[in-house]
Amino acid sequence: MTAPVMPEMKKAMLAIDTSTNVCSLALLSHEGVLAERVDRKGNEHAALIARFVDELQAEASQKGYEIVAVAASGGPGSYTGLRIGASLAKGFCFAAEIPLLAISTLESLAWGAIEGGTIPSEALIVPMVDAGRMEVYAATYSSDGVQLVAPHAEIIHAESYADLAGTPIYLVGNGAAKCAEVLTASHIHIQPTESLASHLRLPAWRALEEGRVADVAYWAPDYIKPYNAVVAKNKVLNR
């Protein structure tokens, strides 16, 4: 008697973005978002992330998908948030023996804006992650997702991007909002957006297809600047 043929599992990717106060996970196919979990309350990443993973794993199984890789937001962003996401991603990949894909937070923000359909073809995209005060982590991308300026720390002032006055500039990400009062030139368009796991879909699948995978044992997020722990004064004085 011939054994029944089991249907072939479809491929999906688990995506994790904990680079900001938003805790976002998604189950992604090549074509789109199969399921997602988003918490915007902030500071609950450690408490929620494992539960979100379990729920998305269950949904993948129910829908006939096999998780073949994990995509993680690779920074810059919140030091604590990125460490939480990286730890979960690395542990999942190690246990399941699947690839880890580290995608720049800024690249995923750019692709989120591109998929949103509001970026003209002649425009440049400047994704920004808030780094405190008037500083941001930023990069520059073309309207089709090509990186033109690498991720870096930048202090925003009135003359920022003045040398690109003839080109529409779209600022996106959670660092964009605080630029509104400083950058008032007509060629600058401010569109504050969230860092979401769903934005990892296109760059992560491309990275997987091109074999650009991270080393599960040694990969760490790109914080751009070293982490400086603030020690409370009473701790220094032993009070």
Side-chain angles (χ1 to χ4, degrees), residues 97-122:
E97 298 184 330
I98 58 177
L100 171 63
L101 308 162
I103 306 299
S104 165
T105 307
L106 300 171
E107 183 179 5
S108 67
L109 281 167
W111 278 104
I114 292 168
E115 287 199 275
T118 61
I119 308 298
S121 60
E122 71 278 10

Side-chain angles (χ1 to χ4, degrees), residues 158-176:
E159 298 304 312
S160 296
Y161 309 108
D163 57 329
L164 297 171
T167 304
I169 308 291
Y170 283 73
L171 309 185
V172 301
N174 73 349

Side-chain angles (χ1 to χ4, degrees), residues 103 107-108 111 199-208 212:
I103 306 299
E107 183 179 5
S108 67
W111 278 104
H199 297 161
L200 293 164
R201 182 177 66 87
L202 289 173
W205 279 111
R206 181 177 297 172
L208 182 61
R212 292 184 284 110

Side-chain angles (χ1 to χ4, degrees), residues 106 126-140 149-164 171 175 178-179 183 224-225:
L106 300 171
V126 179
M128 294 178 165
V129 173
D130 192 350
R133 299 188 180 181
M134 285 311 296
E135 188 171 28
V136 297
Y137 300 124
T140 303
V149 178
H152 60 282
E154 179 177 349
I155 296 174
I156 298 300
H157 52 81
E159 298 304 312
S160 296
Y161 309 108
D163 57 329
L164 297 171
L171 309 185
K178 67 182 183 181
C179 300
L183 301 179
I224 294 186
K225 298 200 309 185

Side-chain angles (χ1 to χ4, degrees), residues 66-111:
E66 175 189 9
I67 295 176
V68 298
V70 175
S73 182
S78 159
Y79 181 84
T80 301
L82 287 169
R83 283 180 64 88
I84 291 169
S87 297
L88 191 288
K90 293 171 73 170
F92 191 104
C93 289
F94 181 80
E97 298 184 330
I98 58 177
L100 171 63
L101 308 162
I103 306 299
S104 165
T105 307
L106 300 171
E107 183 179 5
S108 67
L109 281 167
W111 278 104

Side-chain angles (χ1 to χ4, degrees), residues 184-195:
T184 58
S186 60
H187 72 293
I188 295 178
H189 307 269
I190 296 175
Q191 297 184 346
T193 54
E194 295 178 313
S195 296

